[in-house]
Amino acid sequence: MIGEAPGGSRPEIRIDRSDVGRRVSVRRLSEVVEGRPVYRDVVGVLVSWDDACQVTVVPRAGEPVSFPAELMIAAKTVPLFPARRTALPETEPTALQALASRGWAAADQQRLGDWLLRASGGHTKRANSCQALGDPGLPLAEATAAVGRWYAERGLPALFEVSTPGTDPALVAELDALGERIAPTEVRTAPLAPVIRAGAGTERVRLHRAPDEGWFERYHGGADPATAEAARALLLGGPSVWFAAVPAPGGGAPLAIGRCVVDGPWVLFNAVETAPEARRQGLATAVMSVLAARAAEEGATGAFLQVEADNTAARTLYDRLGFTTSHTYHYARLPQR
């Protein structure tokens, strides 16, 4: 019998497949040594319960723990990892930009001195632009020409990600002379504790290590088929990636989604979206709270995100969660030849 302990005692199994994606505490029979049972406990996210009744839990640190469901002795859902008030980690804008690039890692990358050229099938400007931080190792005119050739070889427009502060002012002036600024964006930071505490209805949120088809359908209304493969690769890339979703009652695309990447003391949030019919219900806040709690469980203390300056609704949400602007960036496009 599932979960039955030696001696015939009744189990206390209070979870089932419907709890996949929630934080749980499980005690299981690990082994029998000299006729005596040895039990082990694991607390973490229940990420799978497959048709073969194999259960997998991802604990606070380390590798996922998998075991047959029949070995469970006791199991229950548990609250989010508790919010602990901590200061923001010390960092510089250029370091945050590098973290953001690692959390949205382009498939094709090449260094030009300190600059990072990124291409990923055209999905998002961030993954298809030159992150112009530091010294390219060439005179600026030669460096910008090299960037233009690199993107032309890939059939992409030559975009620069221009950070303020961070990018060489001489390059900023040169790019301004060549064309317009595109998609001005704020990079915002916040301590994790207020984000964790802000959410209500967090029990509706489920966490996963990879996006299912419903999640992907909600993401930007489903990626352009021409860039769908690149989008999936970008979404899955990063040191420790988590996806959150609020399932729709009738199935299909979730009511709300979000993604985070935990990277040391920082967690990057992105892809936070809510179905039009489900807005103003606190679902985006709940998604971010659950992601923040998981990030804190892995040791993160600070959060950051990128929001376009004209996205008033998102900026209002992030204001309420305590995010403030660290720095800004925009894109500049070289003229096509």
Side-chain angles (χ1 to χ4, degrees):
M1 181 177 177
I2 291 177
E4 189 165 78
S9 61
R10 292 288 299 173
E12 292 191 13
I13 309 299
R14 300 176 184 171
I15 64 172
D16 56 32
R17 284 190 177 90
S18 69
D19 292 304
V20 169
R22 300 182 70 181
R23 189 167 183 255
V24 299
S25 174
V26 177
R27 171 163 289 187
R28 70 194 188 281
L29 175 64
S30 177
E31 57 184 327
V32 177
V33 179
E34 298 179 352
R36 298 175 64 87
V38 177
Y39 304 109
R40 296 190 186 281
D41 296 334
V42 59
V43 177
V45 179
L46 176 64
V47 294
S48 72
W49 187 322
D50 64 24
D51 291 340
C53 287
Q54 188 78 0
V55 172
T56 301
V57 177
V58 178
R60 177 176 182 176
E63 295 298 315
V65 177
S66 297
F67 47 87
E70 64 184 9
L71 297 183
M72 289 192 293
I73 304 302
K76 62 182 180 180
T77 60
V78 292
L80 301 180
F81 188 76
R84 296 172 181 171
R85 192 174 297 279
T86 55
L88 274 175
E90 292 187 9
T91 193
E92 297 293 328
T94 53
L96 278 183
Q97 288 300 98
L99 283 175
S101 187
R102 193 154 62 229
W104 196 245
D108 185 4
Q109 301 189 25
Q110 183 176 320
R111 285 284 177 185
L112 180 65
D114 295 329
W115 291 4
L116 180 62
L117 287 74
R118 306 169 294 187
S120 199
H123 183 71
T124 73
K125 296 179 181 65
R126 195 188 333 159
N128 294 274
S129 58
C130 172
Q131 190 173 66
L133 299 172
D135 184 357
L138 294 171
L140 286 183
E142 293 180 32
T144 55
V147 170
R149 289 192 298 271
W150 194 85
Y151 283 101
E153 289 168 1
R154 290 154 178 79
L156 294 169
L159 289 174
F160 284 80
E161 182 185 271
V162 181
S163 300
T164 306
T167 300
D168 182 350
L171 175 62
V172 177
E174 182 169 326
L175 292 172
D176 282 347
L178 291 172
E180 65 178 339
R181 299 185 175 205
I182 303 169
T185 301
E186 299 172 354
V187 179
R188 293 184 164 207
T189 62
L192 275 183
V195 182
I196 296 170
R197 294 193 186 104
T202 54
E203 69 281 353
R204 300 175 63 185
V205 181
R206 297 292 185 269
L207 289 179
H208 303 281
R209 277 302 206 183
D212 62 14
E213 289 304 315
W215 195 102
F216 198 69
E217 182 181 343
R218 176 62 59 207
Y219 172 66
H220 291 329
D224 181 338
T227 62
E229 184 177 348
R232 290 181 186 274
L234 284 166
L235 287 164
L236 288 167
S240 179
V241 185
W242 288 95
F243 298 85
V246 177
L255 298 177
I257 61 170
R259 173 185 182 267
C260 79
V261 183
V262 187
D263 194 346
W266 287 98
V267 57
L268 167 67
F269 289 105
N270 62 9
V272 178
E273 300 185 23
T274 304
E277 69 275 13
R279 289 174 184 162
R280 300 186 182 279
Q281 298 178 22
L283 298 185
T285 302
V287 160
M288 292 188 67
S289 293
V290 173
L291 289 170
R294 178 61 209 189
E297 195 164 7
E298 293 187 16
T301 56
F304 74 111
L305 51 81
Q306 298 146 314
V307 57
E308 291 194 4
D310 62 357
N311 190 341
T312 302
R315 291 171 68 239
T316 299
L317 167 64
Y318 303 143
D319 285 345
R320 289 201 304 267
L321 295 177
F323 284 87
T324 58
T325 301
S326 162
H327 59 283
T328 63
Y329 69 87
H330 65 274
Y331 297 96
R333 178 163 42 210
L334 290 181
Q336 291 183 315
R337 297 180 180 180

